[in-house]
Amino acid sequence: MDILKKALPVHTVDGENAALKRIMPTHNLSYVDPFLMMDHFSLDQRAGFPDHPHRGFEIITYMLEGAFKHADSAGNEGIIQAGGLQRITAGRGIVHSEFPAFEGINSGIQLWINLERRLKGMEPSYQDVKREEIPERESDGIRVRTLVGEGSPVRIVQSMVYYDIAISQGKKGLFPIPGGFQPLIYILEGTGSFGGNRFPGTAGEVLIPERAAENGGLSVVAEEDLRFVLIAGQPIGERPVFRGSFVD
């Protein structure tokens, strides 16, 4: 599997004074089917996301540091701690809010995953998953957390995998991706070379590999200690229509 291109996130402000790195959609990267939006946020308690609606997709919020508290108009509320995540199926529509739960920095990644048009009217639902519930394996300088995929309790409509991967300097890994899935890589820390074409990548960059072949996989070599998230999903093939926080 080769890397086709790279893109840089765009610094922007959303919600209430919430400065973040928007990975997509931007002028650099519109969307990567089935993934619609991806943000890397890092907020203190002066910022957040007051009540706002969503419709037509699913959301995974994965906390890297600190915690986020959420609440919705149906009376659901909770706190996502570092290392844990929340899955929301917005379906026919929800209204919710998200704010940092701790003093200091509260950082994480929010990913929007498209739903097929025939499923956009489904009933909304939530799932909170604690850090200790997420499968993690470590061997020979490589640590993989499976946020979505084999062994993970996360229930999501669209076929996909989602990994948080750390590789020690000088180590090499090969990470299987189901055939036909479209991958995306976002580098959190360090530098490395990715794919069969040894494409260079460094912290803050987004890499877009080619679609996975049957029995394919992504090879990665860490030039220095490296951490990245790898997502891959089965493309839907329906062009999304963005209407702010609604996607038709």
Side-chain angles (χ1 to χ4, degrees):
M1 175 184 293
D2 288 346
I3 306 300
L4 300 179
K5 64 179 181 179
K6 78 167 57 175
L8 292 174
V10 172
H11 292 263
T12 188
V13 177
D14 206 340
E16 188 175 273
N17 304 314
L20 50 84
K21 295 178 184 177
R22 178 144 292 160
I23 296 159
M24 62 180 175
T26 70
H27 60 275
N28 297 324
L29 186 65
S30 55
Y31 71 99
V32 178
D33 190 8
F35 307 113
L36 301 170
M37 192 205 77
M38 193 172 185
D39 283 344
H40 183 188
F41 58 86
S42 187
L43 311 177
D44 60 25
Q45 290 188 311
R46 295 172 294 180
F49 303 93
D51 281 349
H52 56 283
H54 291 303
R55 185 183 72 202
F57 53 91
E58 297 186 277
I59 303 166
I60 294 176
T61 303
Y62 176 48
M63 293 304 298
L64 301 170
E65 180 182 3
F68 245 36
K69 57 186 176 181
H70 64 91
D72 71 13
S73 53
N76 299 304
E77 59 181 64
I79 294 179
I80 317 166
Q81 303 278 357
L85 63 84
Q86 180 190 66
R87 186 270 303 160
I88 299 174
T89 300
R92 59 181 173 78
I94 61 163
V95 176
H96 76 153
S97 63
E98 303 159 290
F99 286 96
F102 295 163
E103 294 182 2
I105 296 300
N106 301 263
S107 67
I109 296 172
Q110 184 166 105
L111 175 69
W112 293 8
I113 307 106
N114 201 13
L115 287 169
E116 295 179 51
R117 286 199 171 88
R118 66 184 181 86
L119 299 174
K120 288 184 180 292
M122 68 187 302
E123 188 72 16
S125 64
Y126 286 79
Q127 183 184 13
D128 291 322
V129 179
K130 297 178 181 179
R131 178 187 183 94
E132 57 268 25
E133 296 177 291
I134 294 174
E136 182 173 325
R137 67 181 189 275
E138 187 166 357
S139 177
D140 193 27
I142 299 176
R143 188 267 297 150
V144 179
R145 305 194 77 222
T146 302
L147 310 183
V148 180
E150 186 176 359
S152 170
V154 176
R155 303 184 304 273
I156 193 158
V157 173
Q158 186 63 19
S159 295
M160 64 172 287
V161 293
Y162 189 167
Y163 304 112
D164 175 355
I165 298 171
I167 307 178
S168 299
Q169 183 177 13
K171 297 294 184 178
K172 178 180 180 179
L174 178 65
F175 306 99
I177 297 173
F181 278 30
Q182 174 59 58
L184 179 148
I185 299 157
Y186 176 59
I187 306 172
L188 293 167
E189 300 170 10
T191 61
S193 58
F194 295 77
N197 55 344
R198 300 290 297 268
F199 198 97
T202 193
E205 294 180 337
V206 187
L207 306 182
I208 309 299
E210 61 189 343
R211 192 172 295 186
E214 289 296 331
N215 302 315
L218 175 74
S219 60
V220 182
V221 179
E223 310 297 344
E224 58 185 39
D225 288 350
L226 179 66
R227 185 183 182 189
F228 59 97
V229 293
L230 168 62
I231 61 174
Q234 181 67 56
I236 292 173
E238 298 173 348
R239 186 169 183 84
V241 179
F242 290 87
R243 305 184 192 279
S245 59
F246 295 167
V247 179
D248 296 329

